[in-house]
Every structure is written in C-alpha cells, then in structure tokens.
Amino acid sequence: MSPDLWMLLAFAVLLVAGVPVAFSLGLAGAVGIIAGLSPDMLATLGTNTYNSVAKYPLIAIPLFILTGLIFERAGVAARLVRFARALIGPRHGGLALVAVLVCMIMGGMSGSGPADAAAVAMVMLPSMTRAGYPRPFSATLIAASASTAILIPPSVALILYSIVVPGVDLRALFAAGLFPGVLAGMALLVPAWWLSRRHGWEAPEEAEREPLGESFRQAIPALFAPVLILGGLRSGLFTPTEAAVVAVAYGTVVGLWLTRELRWRDLWELFGEAAVISGVVMLIIALAGIFAWAGTMLGTFRHLAEWVIGLSDNGTLLLVMIMLAVLVAGMLLDAISIYLIMMPILIPVMQHFEWNPVWFGILLAMNIAIGQFTPPVAVNLMVTTEVARVRLEQTLGWAMIFVVAMAGALAMVAVFPEIALWLPRVLGYNV
C-alpha cells in the first residue's frame, strides 16, 4: 500500500475511533512521514506545528472570539431582541423573524456560529416557547440563523481561508460574504414566517409592542459595532487583524460603561474562556500543519486533485460534486478542519477550472454553514438543543426545511457570482 493511502487510512481510522480531529491530523501526518519519507523526518514536527500558527492574520481569530464573548456578557443580544421586536411588531411569526435578524446582527460581531447560537438562544428561546413555538423548531431556527455568522464579516472561517489560499485579500472576502450572508438569512425568513402563519404560532393580540424609540436607543451601541469594523476596514484605518483589537476594545467600553452589565472581574473570566476556545482552534491549525507538510511532500494532495479533475471535464458538474462533498463534511467536522483538510486538494482544482477564489471561498462557507445545523454533528444545533432541553433527533424534520431554504440561496450565489463579487469590486478590493 502506498504512503498516501497509509496516511489517509490512518486519518480515517482515527476519526472513526473517536480521536479528536487535531490529533487525528497530527498522527496521520506522522504515519505518512514514517511510511513514505524517513523516521528521521519526524524531527520536523516541531517546526511544522510552529510554522502553521506563526502567521500574523491568525491573531484575529482569538480576538474576534473574545469580542463575541464580551458582547454576549454585555447584554447586547437582549437589547437587539427588544429593538427587533419593536421594529417588527406583534404578528404571526414575529419572534421567528426577530430570531433570524438578531442572529445576523450578532454574527457581525462574533464571527462564530456556535457563539452566536448560544447568545441568541439564551434570550429568545423562553419568549418563543411562551408564544407557542415548539422548542425543537425554535432551537433549529436559531441554529440555522446563527450559521450566517460564517458568512457575515468578521468571519473566523474566512480569516482562515485567506491564509490557506495564497493571494486572497481578506477584505475582499469579508465584503463578498455580506450579501450572501444576508441572502441566506432572508432565505430562512420565508419558511419561518410561513410555518408560523400555518400553525398559528404567536397570536398578535397576546403580544405587546416594545417602544421603538427607547429600544432603538438602547440598541445603538450594538448596531454600531459592525459599522465600526467594516467602516474601518473600508477606510483603511486599520487592517483586519487590527479590526479585531478595535472590536475587543469597543465591546469592553460598551459592556463596562454603556450597558453596565459587564464588570471588570468578568473580563478575566472571559479572557480565560476565549483562551480555551482559541486554544482548541489553534491546536487544530498547528497539528494540521504536520498533515499538510506530509501530504505535500508525498504528493498526496496533488494525486487527489488530479483524481478529482479526472472525474469530469464539466466544471459545473464537478462544482456540484464538490459542494455536496463539502456539505457532507460540514455535517461531521467544523469549518476550521474542513478548510485545512480539503483546501490543499481543492486549490489545484479551483485553478484548473479558473474559478474565482473569492467566489469559491464564499460557496464553501455557505456549504459549511448548512452543515452547522444539519445532523448528525451540527455544532450550532448541539448548542441550541442543549439550551432548549430537547433531543437532537427531534429537530431533524425542521432542519431539513431550513437546509432546503439555504441551499436555494447557495444555488443563487453559484449561478450569479456577482451576488458575492459585486461589493468587493465596488469597494476596490482585488477579486
């Protein structure tokens, strides 16, 4: 058996055995080195792990994770919910629409689907349950809506994509993700509103409308956060990595002095929580460096790319096949792992068919977003079902409805690339 197969087989066996993705990648890479190179080359393990994380743009990942945690603790989600409820008013499906909109706005602060899902679920689920929404439906809707965080800037996944794919401008990726992210959210609004009307959830006469002026005033600090981040990037005031620092500082000011729900002693706890989450992400990236180096030296990724290209001369058909493969991967793995495992194979395919790397990155992100709320793994859904106290299997039917809705948005971006590419072109970024 060739060293390529030994490495891939080791990775598959370790994953099936329940070994965490990070260690599966690192150990499989070591197996490939021993099988195809030389045991002496194991001395490169330390260098490869360091080189994988010693990249300036990666600093943004722990900082945006910390930003999401700070805004969650600062009571921003509750204020956004009150404003959205005042804006939409009492109607069938009103709270469902609020949940989607708040998830989209929160995604513009945290860049992380699970963090977004946790913050919104804690605030929205009790209200939706009292209004008559089934808890499995509410949990699924919030999980699906929170997946737009992977598209709406700042996105942790897009930051990693810009590092893995050489020559891609992160600012262009952030701009390209905005309209597809909004489109995905709007695609979820349609079935959510229709189901609420059909089942009579949330009787309008039983709800009171929040005062619009007061709720807007309280929501201003939260609404200004995405404007600050994107406006600073567009004006050139700061880089994407510096934007993460600005976001942390702004969130701290909002929590300590504007909402006054964040205390100084809370910051130490949030630093620790962000460090743990970031440590998991960085460990995956570091150990994936061993797998990537071994696969490159053995030619594994080149062989796999040639095999994929050989499947069909039709670029459209091959794109559909790749999207389906990424969707399945998204049901089982997190976005970070998918990018690190699949991009070394997909980059040659993308170059062969001359697909725009910014557009292709958004398509991958939309697929991974769908996977975040599609069982069996569904990281977002695991968070919301825990908050809702329901079993994951109870959400399957609802999840399939929202999968179809978001898949429709994905198809539109695939057929009309300008949905993603128009804004970065207008802003003058390199696409």
Side-chain angles (χ1 to χ4, degrees):
M1 193 160 58
S2 69
D4 294 346
L5 291 177
W6 273 114
M7 186 175 75
L8 296 175
L9 181 62
F11 177 64
V13 169
L14 289 166
L15 273 184
V16 172
V19 177
V21 173
F23 295 107
S24 297
L25 288 167
L27 291 172
V31 169
I33 291 172
I34 294 171
L37 300 173
S38 166
D40 294 339
M41 299 301 290
L42 291 175
T44 64
L45 296 185
T47 304
N48 286 324
T49 53
Y50 173 76
N51 289 339
S52 299
V53 295
K55 296 171 182 174
Y56 176 69
L58 285 178
I59 299 172
I61 292 179
L63 289 171
F64 277 127
I65 290 173
L66 178 59
T67 300
L69 294 173
I70 289 175
F71 273 110
E72 178 186 351
R73 187 67 61 90
V76 165
R79 284 166 170 78
L80 286 173
V81 167
R82 282 198 292 271
F83 173 60
R85 292 183 69 176
L87 202 61
I88 292 173
R91 65 184 70 244
H92 286 301
L95 284 176
L97 304 185
V98 168
V100 176
L101 293 176
V102 172
C103 281
M104 292 169 63
I105 298 172
M106 287 292 294
M109 303 175 199
S110 67
S112 168
D116 192 358
V120 178
M122 293 293 291
V123 178
M124 288 297 306
L125 275 169
S127 300
M128 295 182 75
T129 302
R130 286 195 298 270
Y133 292 88
R135 285 185 296 170
F137 169 84
S138 303
T140 310
L141 176 63
I142 294 172
S145 305
S147 70
T148 59
I150 202 174
L151 293 162
I152 297 174
S155 163
V156 171
L158 292 182
I159 293 172
L160 185 62
Y161 180 84
S162 71
I163 295 170
V164 175
V165 181
V168 176
D169 187 348
L170 178 56
R171 296 172 303 168
L173 277 172
F174 276 0
L178 186 59
F179 284 162
V182 172
L183 180 63
M186 297 298 291
L188 296 173
L189 283 175
V190 174
W193 174 81
W194 180 77
L195 288 168
S196 301
R197 293 273 301 183
R198 180 184 179 189
H199 294 284
W201 298 328
E202 188 183 354
E205 62 275 6
E206 296 178 5
E208 294 184 5
R209 187 165 195 157
E210 300 277 352
L212 182 59
E214 177 62 20
S215 60
F216 174 68
R217 185 186 64 80
Q218 293 184 358
I220 287 176
L223 296 172
F224 184 68
V227 176
L228 175 66
I229 295 171
L230 296 177
L233 289 174
R234 174 66 189 97
S235 65
L237 190 61
F238 39 72
T239 67
T241 303
E242 292 164 347
V245 180
V246 172
V248 170
Y250 178 72
T252 304
V253 170
V254 169
L256 289 174
W257 289 293
L258 295 180
T259 67
R260 298 179 183 271
E261 293 190 25
L262 184 69
R263 296 168 296 179
W264 284 105
R265 62 184 179 185
D266 292 334
L267 289 176
W268 182 253
E269 179 186 340
L270 293 177
F271 289 157
E273 191 173 345
V276 171
I277 298 172
S278 304
V280 173
V281 173
M282 292 301 180
L283 184 63
I284 295 173
I285 295 173
L287 294 181
I290 300 172
F291 187 83
W293 186 83
T296 302
M297 295 299 292
L298 294 171
T300 306
F301 302 136
R302 186 184 72 253
H303 299 153
L304 287 172
E306 291 171 351
W307 175 76
V308 171
I309 293 171
L311 289 175
S312 175
D313 293 330
N314 188 324
T316 302
L317 176 61
L318 201 58
L319 180 64
V320 172
M321 294 169 63
I322 290 173
M323 293 297 104
L324 291 174
V326 174
L327 176 60
V328 173
M331 297 178 189
L332 304 172
L333 299 171
D334 59 279
I336 305 296
S337 303
I338 293 171
Y339 279 130
L340 293 172
I341 294 168
M342 300 190 74
M343 284 317 299
I345 304 168
L346 296 180
I347 289 174
V349 180
M350 179 177 66
Q351 293 170 342
H352 176 80
F353 288 100
E354 298 181 346
W355 294 330
N356 185 289
V358 173
W359 169 73
F360 188 66
I362 299 303
L363 290 182
L364 291 181
M366 293 187 80
N367 260 287
I368 296 170
I370 295 173
Q372 286 189 333
F373 63 91
T374 309
V377 176
V379 289
N380 288 6
L381 204 49
M382 291 176 70
V383 172
T384 56
T385 52
E386 180 65 26
V387 176
R389 305 293 184 194
V390 296
R391 297 191 308 275
L392 193 66
E393 56 267 26
Q394 292 177 268
T395 65
L396 185 58
W398 301 119
M400 290 303 102
I401 295 174
F402 296 127
V403 165
V404 172
M406 195 176 283
L410 169 63
M412 288 188 65
V413 177
V415 174
F416 305 105
E418 285 302 305
I419 294 175
L421 299 180
W422 178 81
L423 184 59
R425 281 205 180 102
V426 168
L427 295 178
Y429 298 138
N430 181 26
V431 294

mmCIF file of all heavy atoms in Angstrom, residues 192-232:
data_model
loop_
_atom_site.group_PDB
_atom_site.id
_atom_site.type_symbol
_atom_site.label_atom_id
_atom_site.label_comp_id
_atom_site.label_asym_id
_atom_site.label_seq_id
_atom_site.Cartn_x
_atom_site.Cartn_y
_atom_site.Cartn_z
ATOM 1 N N ALA A 192 -39.727 30.275 7.911
ATOM 2 C CA ALA A 192 -40.050 30.560 9.308
ATOM 3 C C ALA A 192 -41.374 31.315 9.409
ATOM 4 O O ALA A 192 -42.240 30.990 10.236
ATOM 5 C CB ALA A 192 -38.921 31.373 9.946
ATOM 6 N N TRP A 193 -41.568 32.327 8.557
ATOM 7 C CA TRP A 193 -42.815 33.099 8.567
ATOM 8 C C TRP A 193 -43.990 32.236 8.115
ATOM 9 O O TRP A 193 -45.063 32.252 8.721
ATOM 10 C CB TRP A 193 -42.659 34.311 7.647
ATOM 11 C CG TRP A 193 -43.926 35.095 7.483
ATOM 12 C CD1 TRP A 193 -44.441 36.028 8.340
ATOM 13 C CD2 TRP A 193 -44.844 34.998 6.391
ATOM 14 N NE1 TRP A 193 -45.627 36.528 7.847
ATOM 15 C CE2 TRP A 193 -45.896 35.912 6.650
ATOM 16 C CE3 TRP A 193 -44.878 34.243 5.222
ATOM 17 C CZ2 TRP A 193 -46.966 36.073 5.773
ATOM 18 C CZ3 TRP A 193 -45.945 34.411 4.341
ATOM 19 C CH2 TRP A 193 -46.971 35.317 4.623
ATOM 20 N N TRP A 194 -43.778 31.447 7.055
ATOM 21 C CA TRP A 194 -44.866 30.622 6.516
ATOM 22 C C TRP A 194 -45.315 29.573 7.528
ATOM 23 O O TRP A 194 -46.524 29.363 7.728
ATOM 24 C CB TRP A 194 -44.397 29.950 5.225
ATOM 25 C CG TRP A 194 -45.458 29.088 4.601
ATOM 26 C CD1 TRP A 194 -46.535 29.491 3.876
ATOM 27 C CD2 TRP A 194 -45.554 27.656 4.676
ATOM 28 N NE1 TRP A 194 -47.300 28.412 3.485
ATOM 29 C CE2 TRP A 194 -46.714 27.276 3.960
ATOM 30 C CE3 TRP A 194 -44.769 26.677 5.258
ATOM 31 C CZ2 TRP A 194 -47.103 25.946 3.831
ATOM 32 C CZ3 TRP A 194 -45.145 25.346 5.130
ATOM 33 C CH2 TRP A 194 -46.304 24.984 4.427
ATOM 34 N N LEU A 195 -44.372 28.909 8.188
ATOM 35 C CA LEU A 195 -44.719 27.889 9.184
ATOM 36 C C LEU A 195 -45.451 28.513 10.369
ATOM 37 O O LEU A 195 -46.395 27.917 10.910
ATOM 38 C CB LEU A 195 -43.450 27.176 9.656
ATOM 39 C CG LEU A 195 -42.804 26.214 8.654
ATOM 40 C CD1 LEU A 195 -41.423 25.802 9.127
ATOM 41 C CD2 LEU A 195 -43.681 24.975 8.461
ATOM 42 N N SER A 196 -45.014 29.706 10.773
ATOM 43 C CA SER A 196 -45.679 30.378 11.896
ATOM 44 C C SER A 196 -47.115 30.730 11.547
ATOM 45 O O SER A 196 -48.029 30.569 12.372
ATOM 46 C CB SER A 196 -44.902 31.647 12.274
ATOM 47 O OG SER A 196 -43.572 31.338 12.630
ATOM 48 N N ARG A 197 -47.338 31.218 10.328
ATOM 49 C CA ARG A 197 -48.696 31.545 9.895
ATOM 50 C C ARG A 197 -49.551 30.285 9.805
ATOM 51 O O ARG A 197 -50.722 30.273 10.227
ATOM 52 C CB ARG A 197 -48.638 32.212 8.517
ATOM 53 C CG ARG A 197 -47.989 33.566 8.501
ATOM 54 C CD ARG A 197 -48.944 34.679 8.799
ATOM 55 N NE ARG A 197 -50.047 34.742 7.855
ATOM 56 C CZ ARG A 197 -50.997 35.673 7.880
ATOM 57 N NH1 ARG A 197 -50.966 36.602 8.819
ATOM 58 N NH2 ARG A 197 -51.974 35.683 7.001
ATOM 59 N N ARG A 198 -48.987 29.231 9.253
ATOM 60 C CA ARG A 198 -49.747 27.998 9.037
ATOM 61 C C ARG A 198 -50.197 27.381 10.356
ATOM 62 O O ARG A 198 -51.332 26.898 10.472
ATOM 63 C CB ARG A 198 -48.896 27.011 8.249
ATOM 64 C CG ARG A 198 -49.607 25.698 7.964
ATOM 65 C CD ARG A 198 -48.699 24.719 7.272
ATOM 66 N NE ARG A 198 -49.386 23.442 7.030
ATOM 67 C CZ ARG A 198 -48.783 22.353 6.591
ATOM 68 N NH1 ARG A 198 -47.484 22.372 6.320
ATOM 69 N NH2 ARG A 198 -49.470 21.242 6.411
ATOM 70 N N HIS A 199 -49.288 27.389 11.355
ATOM 71 C CA HIS A 199 -49.593 26.736 12.628
ATOM 72 C C HIS A 199 -50.179 27.702 13.657
ATOM 73 O O HIS A 199 -50.538 27.283 14.763
ATOM 74 C CB HIS A 199 -48.333 26.086 13.201
ATOM 75 C CG HIS A 199 -47.816 24.944 12.358
ATOM 76 N ND1 HIS A 199 -48.405 23.711 12.344
ATOM 77 C CD2 HIS A 199 -46.762 24.868 11.498
ATOM 78 C CE1 HIS A 199 -47.741 22.910 11.515
ATOM 79 N NE2 HIS A 199 -46.741 23.583 10.983
ATOM 80 N N GLY A 200 -50.271 28.979 13.321
ATOM 81 C CA GLY A 200 -50.878 29.935 14.234
ATOM 82 C C GLY A 200 -50.040 30.232 15.456
ATOM 83 O O GLY A 200 -50.582 30.578 16.517
ATOM 84 N N TRP A 201 -48.732 30.116 15.331
ATOM 85 C CA TRP A 201 -47.874 30.415 16.476
ATOM 86 C C TRP A 201 -47.816 31.925 16.700
ATOM 87 O O TRP A 201 -47.801 32.715 15.769
ATOM 88 C CB TRP A 201 -46.449 29.899 16.241
ATOM 89 C CG TRP A 201 -46.376 28.405 16.067
ATOM 90 C CD1 TRP A 201 -47.186 27.475 16.644
ATOM 91 C CD2 TRP A 201 -45.461 27.677 15.257
ATOM 92 N NE1 TRP A 201 -46.841 26.210 16.253
ATOM 93 C CE2 TRP A 201 -45.771 26.300 15.396
ATOM 94 C CE3 TRP A 201 -44.404 28.025 14.419
ATOM 95 C CZ2 TRP A 201 -45.061 25.289 14.743
ATOM 96 C CZ3 TRP A 201 -43.693 27.028 13.775
ATOM 97 C CH2 TRP A 201 -44.014 25.679 13.929
ATOM 98 N N GLU A 202 -47.796 32.313 17.956
ATOM 99 C CA GLU A 202 -47.659 33.708 18.386
ATOM 100 C C GLU A 202 -48.846 34.546 17.930
ATOM 101 O O GLU A 202 -48.791 35.266 16.931
ATOM 102 C CB GLU A 202 -46.345 34.317 17.849
ATOM 103 C CG GLU A 202 -46.055 35.694 18.432
ATOM 104 C CD GLU A 202 -44.798 36.316 17.846
ATOM 105 O OE1 GLU A 202 -44.088 35.638 17.078
ATOM 106 O OE2 GLU A 202 -44.536 37.475 18.152
ATOM 107 N N ALA A 203 -49.919 34.465 18.686
ATOM 108 C CA ALA A 203 -51.105 35.252 18.372
ATOM 109 C C ALA A 203 -50.796 36.735 18.564
ATOM 110 O O ALA A 203 -50.349 37.148 19.639
ATOM 111 C CB ALA A 203 -52.258 34.844 19.284
ATOM 112 N N PRO A 204 -51.035 37.587 17.557
ATOM 113 C CA PRO A 204 -50.668 39.006 17.655
ATOM 114 C C PRO A 204 -51.358 39.738 18.793
ATOM 115 O O PRO A 204 -50.780 40.637 19.404
ATOM 116 C CB PRO A 204 -51.096 39.567 16.293
ATOM 117 C CG PRO A 204 -51.155 38.383 15.383
ATOM 118 C CD PRO A 204 -51.561 37.223 16.242
ATOM 119 N N GLU A 205 -52.615 39.367 19.075
ATOM 120 C CA GLU A 205 -53.363 40.090 20.106
ATOM 121 C C GLU A 205 -52.838 39.828 21.517
ATOM 122 O O GLU A 205 -53.168 40.555 22.450
ATOM 123 C CB GLU A 205 -54.859 39.726 20.032
ATOM 124 C CG GLU A 205 -55.171 38.242 20.276
ATOM 125 C CD GLU A 205 -55.040 37.411 19.012
ATOM 126 O OE1 GLU A 205 -54.596 37.952 17.985
ATOM 127 O OE2 GLU A 205 -55.390 36.215 19.066
ATOM 128 N N GLU A 206 -51.998 38.785 21.672
ATOM 129 C CA GLU A 206 -51.493 38.455 23.005
ATOM 130 C C GLU A 206 -50.136 39.098 23.284
ATOM 131 O O GLU A 206 -49.598 38.965 24.378
ATOM 132 C CB GLU A 206 -51.363 36.930 23.144
ATOM 133 C CG GLU A 206 -52.693 36.202 23.069
ATOM 134 C CD GLU A 206 -52.528 34.704 23.162
ATOM 135 O OE1 GLU A 206 -51.387 34.250 23.383
ATOM 136 O OE2 GLU A 206 -53.537 33.991 23.015
ATOM 137 N N ALA A 207 -49.577 39.808 22.316
ATOM 138 C CA ALA A 207 -48.240 40.376 22.484
ATOM 139 C C ALA A 207 -48.317 41.895 22.556
ATOM 140 O O ALA A 207 -49.179 42.525 21.949
ATOM 141 C CB ALA A 207 -47.349 39.951 21.322
ATOM 142 N N GLU A 208 -47.410 42.480 23.336
ATOM 143 C CA GLU A 208 -47.301 43.922 23.430
ATOM 144 C C GLU A 208 -46.095 44.397 22.638
ATOM 145 O O GLU A 208 -45.049 43.768 22.648
ATOM 146 C CB GLU A 208 -47.155 44.354 24.896
ATOM 147 C CG GLU A 208 -48.379 44.068 25.742
ATOM 148 C CD GLU A 208 -48.213 44.602 27.158
ATOM 149 O OE1 GLU A 208 -47.184 45.268 27.404
ATOM 150 O OE2 GLU A 208 -49.089 44.354 27.989
ATOM 151 N N ARG A 209 -46.252 45.526 21.965
ATOM 152 C CA ARG A 209 -45.164 46.064 21.149
ATOM 153 C C ARG A 209 -44.198 46.850 22.018
ATOM 154 O O ARG A 209 -44.613 47.685 22.835
ATOM 155 C CB ARG A 209 -45.719 46.954 20.038
ATOM 156 C CG ARG A 209 -44.663 47.413 19.049
ATOM 157 C CD ARG A 209 -45.297 47.975 17.803
ATOM 158 N NE ARG A 209 -44.332 48.082 16.717
ATOM 159 C CZ ARG A 209 -44.649 48.109 15.446
ATOM 160 N NH1 ARG A 209 -45.922 48.002 15.097
ATOM 161 N NH2 ARG A 209 -43.735 48.219 14.511
ATOM 162 N N GLU A 210 -42.921 46.581 21.848
ATOM 163 C CA GLU A 210 -41.891 47.321 22.569
ATOM 164 C C GLU A 210 -41.856 48.763 22.065
ATOM 165 O O GLU A 210 -42.096 49.025 20.883
ATOM 166 C CB GLU A 210 -40.518 46.676 22.345
ATOM 167 C CG GLU A 210 -40.404 45.235 22.814
ATOM 168 C CD GLU A 210 -40.123 45.145 24.296
ATOM 169 O OE1 GLU A 210 -39.861 46.195 24.913
ATOM 170 O OE2 GLU A 210 -40.180 44.034 24.843
ATOM 171 N N PRO A 211 -41.540 49.744 22.943
ATOM 172 C CA PRO A 211 -41.414 51.133 22.479
ATOM 173 C C PRO A 211 -40.229 51.261 21.523
ATOM 174 O O PRO A 211 -39.095 50.944 21.887
ATOM 175 C CB PRO A 211 -41.187 51.919 23.766
ATOM 176 C CG PRO A 211 -40.721 50.910 24.779
ATOM 177 C CD PRO A 211 -41.344 49.613 24.382
ATOM 178 N N LEU A 212 -40.498 51.728 20.305
ATOM 179 C CA LEU A 212 -39.477 51.743 19.261
ATOM 180 C C LEU A 212 -38.317 52.681 19.590
ATOM 181 O O LEU A 212 -37.144 52.312 19.471
ATOM 182 C CB LEU A 212 -40.114 52.135 17.922
ATOM 183 C CG LEU A 212 -39.182 52.148 16.704
ATOM 184 C CD1 LEU A 212 -38.568 50.770 16.493
ATOM 185 C CD2 LEU A 212 -39.936 52.596 15.461
ATOM 186 N N GLY A 213 -38.633 53.899 20.011
ATOM 187 C CA GLY A 213 -37.576 54.880 20.270
ATOM 188 C C GLY A 213 -36.619 54.446 21.351
ATOM 189 O O GLY A 213 -35.384 54.502 21.187
ATOM 190 N N GLU A 214 -37.161 54.002 22.475
ATOM 191 C CA GLU A 214 -36.314 53.596 23.595
ATOM 192 C C GLU A 214 -35.502 52.358 23.264
ATOM 193 O O GLU A 214 -34.308 52.265 23.592
ATOM 194 C CB GLU A 214 -37.190 53.330 24.821
ATOM 195 C CG GLU A 214 -36.446 52.825 26.056
ATOM 196 C CD GLU A 214 -35.422 53.821 26.581
ATOM 197 O OE1 GLU A 214 -35.529 55.017 26.246
ATOM 198 O OE2 GLU A 214 -34.520 53.383 27.324
ATOM 199 N N SER A 215 -36.109 51.378 22.604
ATOM 200 C CA SER A 215 -35.378 50.154 22.264
ATOM 201 C C SER A 215 -34.285 50.442 21.239
ATOM 202 O O SER A 215 -33.204 49.843 21.288
ATOM 203 C CB SER A 215 -36.338 49.091 21.733
ATOM 204 O OG SER A 215 -37.008 49.548 20.566
ATOM 205 N N PHE A 216 -34.548 51.375 20.314
ATOM 206 C CA PHE A 216 -33.513 51.741 19.349
ATOM 207 C C PHE A 216 -32.341 52.424 20.045
ATOM 208 O O PHE A 216 -31.169 52.153 19.736
ATOM 209 C CB PHE A 216 -34.097 52.670 18.276
ATOM 210 C CG PHE A 216 -33.066 53.206 17.324
ATOM 211 C CD1 PHE A 216 -32.418 52.376 16.418
ATOM 212 C CD2 PHE A 216 -32.733 54.558 17.344
ATOM 213 C CE1 PHE A 216 -31.452 52.873 15.550
ATOM 214 C CE2 PHE A 216 -31.782 55.066 16.476
ATOM 215 C CZ PHE A 216 -31.135 54.214 15.577
ATOM 216 N N ARG A 217 -32.643 53.308 20.977
ATOM 217 C CA ARG A 217 -31.570 53.993 21.702
ATOM 218 C C ARG A 217 -30.677 53.006 22.440
ATOM 219 O O ARG A 217 -29.441 53.124 22.437
ATOM 220 C CB ARG A 217 -32.180 54.996 22.703
ATOM 221 C CG ARG A 217 -31.150 55.857 23.419
ATOM 222 C CD ARG A 217 -31.805 56.707 24.497
ATOM 223 N NE ARG A 217 -32.374 55.884 25.555
ATOM 224 C CZ ARG A 217 -31.657 55.345 26.538
ATOM 225 N NH1 ARG A 217 -30.341 55.517 26.584
ATOM 226 N NH2 ARG A 217 -32.249 54.626 27.466
ATOM 227 N N GLN A 218 -31.289 51.994 23.056
ATOM 228 C CA GLN A 218 -30.505 51.004 23.777
ATOM 229 C C GLN A 218 -29.717 50.092 22.843
ATOM 230 O O GLN A 218 -28.683 49.546 23.228
ATOM 231 C CB GLN A 218 -31.432 50.158 24.662
ATOM 232 C CG GLN A 218 -32.062 50.930 25.807
ATOM 233 C CD GLN A 218 -32.893 50.035 26.706
ATOM 234 O OE1 GLN A 218 -33.038 48.840 26.464
ATOM 235 N NE2 GLN A 218 -33.464 50.632 27.755
ATOM 236 N N ALA A 219 -30.204 49.923 21.606
ATOM 237 C CA ALA A 219 -29.536 49.018 20.662
ATOM 238 C C ALA A 219 -28.443 49.703 19.846
ATOM 239 O O ALA A 219 -27.680 49.021 19.150
ATOM 240 C CB ALA A 219 -30.565 48.408 19.714
ATOM 241 N N ILE A 220 -28.346 51.025 19.917
ATOM 242 C CA ILE A 220 -27.375 51.756 19.095
ATOM 243 C C ILE A 220 -25.944 51.230 19.264
ATOM 244 O O ILE A 220 -25.237 51.019 18.270
ATOM 245 C CB ILE A 220 -27.449 53.270 19.379
ATOM 246 C CG1 ILE A 220 -28.719 53.850 18.757
ATOM 247 C CG2 ILE A 220 -26.224 53.991 18.833
ATOM 248 C CD1 ILE A 220 -28.928 55.328 19.070
ATOM 249 N N PRO A 221 -25.455 51.014 20.499
ATOM 250 C CA PRO A 221 -24.075 50.517 20.616
ATOM 251 C C PRO A 221 -23.849 49.197 19.894
ATOM 252 O O PRO A 221 -22.793 48.986 19.292
ATOM 253 C CB PRO A 221 -23.892 50.356 22.129
ATOM 254 C CG PRO A 221 -24.880 51.295 22.737
ATOM 255 C CD PRO A 221 -26.048 51.275 21.818
ATOM 256 N N ALA A 222 -24.853 48.307 19.936
ATOM 257 C CA ALA A 222 -24.709 47.014 19.257
ATOM 258 C C ALA A 222 -24.756 47.187 17.747
ATOM 259 O O ALA A 222 -23.973 46.582 17.013
ATOM 260 C CB ALA A 222 -25.811 46.060 19.712
ATOM 261 N N LEU A 223 -25.664 48.031 17.265
ATOM 262 C CA LEU A 223 -25.794 48.238 15.823
ATOM 263 C C LEU A 223 -24.572 48.936 15.236
ATOM 264 O O LEU A 223 -24.257 48.772 14.051
ATOM 265 C CB LEU A 223 -27.049 49.073 15.535
ATOM 266 C CG LEU A 223 -28.394 48.431 15.912
ATOM 267 C CD1 LEU A 223 -29.526 49.437 15.763
ATOM 268 C CD2 LEU A 223 -28.657 47.203 15.065
ATOM 269 N N PHE A 224 -23.875 49.696 16.066
ATOM 270 C CA PHE A 224 -22.709 50.437 15.570
ATOM 271 C C PHE A 224 -21.472 49.553 15.420
ATOM 272 O O PHE A 224 -20.556 49.894 14.667
ATOM 273 C CB PHE A 224 -22.387 51.598 16.523
ATOM 274 C CG PHE A 224 -21.265 52.476 16.046
ATOM 275 C CD1 PHE A 224 -21.417 53.273 14.918
ATOM 276 C CD2 PHE A 224 -20.048 52.499 16.716
ATOM 277 C CE1 PHE A 224 -20.379 54.078 14.478
ATOM 278 C CE2 PHE A 224 -19.006 53.296 16.274
ATOM 279 C CZ PHE A 224 -19.177 54.104 15.154
ATOM 280 N N ALA A 225 -21.455 48.401 16.093
ATOM 281 C CA ALA A 225 -20.264 47.540 16.071
ATOM 282 C C ALA A 225 -19.910 47.071 14.657
ATOM 283 O O ALA A 225 -18.757 47.232 14.226
ATOM 284 C CB ALA A 225 -20.458 46.352 17.006
ATOM 285 N N PRO A 226 -20.850 46.485 13.879
ATOM 286 C CA PRO A 226 -20.486 46.095 12.513
ATOM 287 C C PRO A 226 -20.084 47.283 11.643
ATOM 288 O O PRO A 226 -19.208 47.163 10.789
ATOM 289 C CB PRO A 226 -21.769 45.434 11.975
ATOM 290 C CG PRO A 226 -22.545 45.034 13.191
ATOM 291 C CD PRO A 226 -22.229 46.086 14.205
ATOM 292 N N VAL A 227 -20.721 48.447 11.880
ATOM 293 C CA VAL A 227 -20.372 49.644 11.119
ATOM 294 C C VAL A 227 -18.934 50.052 11.412
ATOM 295 O O VAL A 227 -18.170 50.426 10.501
ATOM 296 C CB VAL A 227 -21.341 50.797 11.465
ATOM 297 C CG1 VAL A 227 -20.927 52.080 10.749
ATOM 298 C CG2 VAL A 227 -22.767 50.425 11.105
ATOM 299 N N LEU A 228 -18.551 49.975 12.675
ATOM 300 C CA LEU A 228 -17.184 50.331 13.071
ATOM 301 C C LEU A 228 -16.165 49.406 12.417
ATOM 302 O O LEU A 228 -15.153 49.865 11.859
ATOM 303 C CB LEU A 228 -17.055 50.252 14.593
ATOM 304 C CG LEU A 228 -15.655 50.483 15.175
ATOM 305 C CD1 LEU A 228 -15.213 51.918 14.933
ATOM 306 C CD2 LEU A 228 -15.641 50.163 16.664
ATOM 307 N N ILE A 229 -16.439 48.102 12.468
ATOM 308 C CA ILE A 229 -15.484 47.127 11.919
ATOM 309 C C ILE A 229 -15.358 47.271 10.407
ATOM 310 O O ILE A 229 -14.260 47.419 9.861
ATOM 311 C CB ILE A 229 -15.912 45.699 12.300
ATOM 312 C CG1 ILE A 229 -15.845 45.505 13.823
ATOM 313 C CG2 ILE A 229 -15.032 44.668 11.608
ATOM 314 C CD1 ILE A 229 -16.458 44.207 14.308
ATOM 315 N N LEU A 230 -16.501 47.252 9.705
ATOM 316 C CA LEU A 230 -16.467 47.317 8.244
ATOM 317 C C LEU A 230 -16.048 48.695 7.742
ATOM 318 O O LEU A 230 -15.321 48.814 6.750
ATOM 319 C CB LEU A 230 -17.836 46.944 7.672
ATOM 320 C CG LEU A 230 -18.300 45.511 7.949
ATOM 321 C CD1 LEU A 230 -19.696 45.289 7.390
ATOM 322 C CD2 LEU A 230 -17.337 44.509 7.356
ATOM 323 N N GLY A 231 -16.498 49.737 8.433
ATOM 324 C CA GLY A 231 -16.117 51.089 8.031
ATOM 325 C C GLY A 231 -14.623 51.323 8.191
ATOM 326 O O GLY A 231 -13.983 51.948 7.335
ATOM 327 N N GLY A 232 -14.047 50.805 9.276
ATOM 328 C CA GLY A 232 -12.612 50.953 9.487
ATOM 329 C C GLY A 232 -11.801 50.209 8.448
ATOM 330 O O GLY A 232 -10.759 50.690 7.981
#
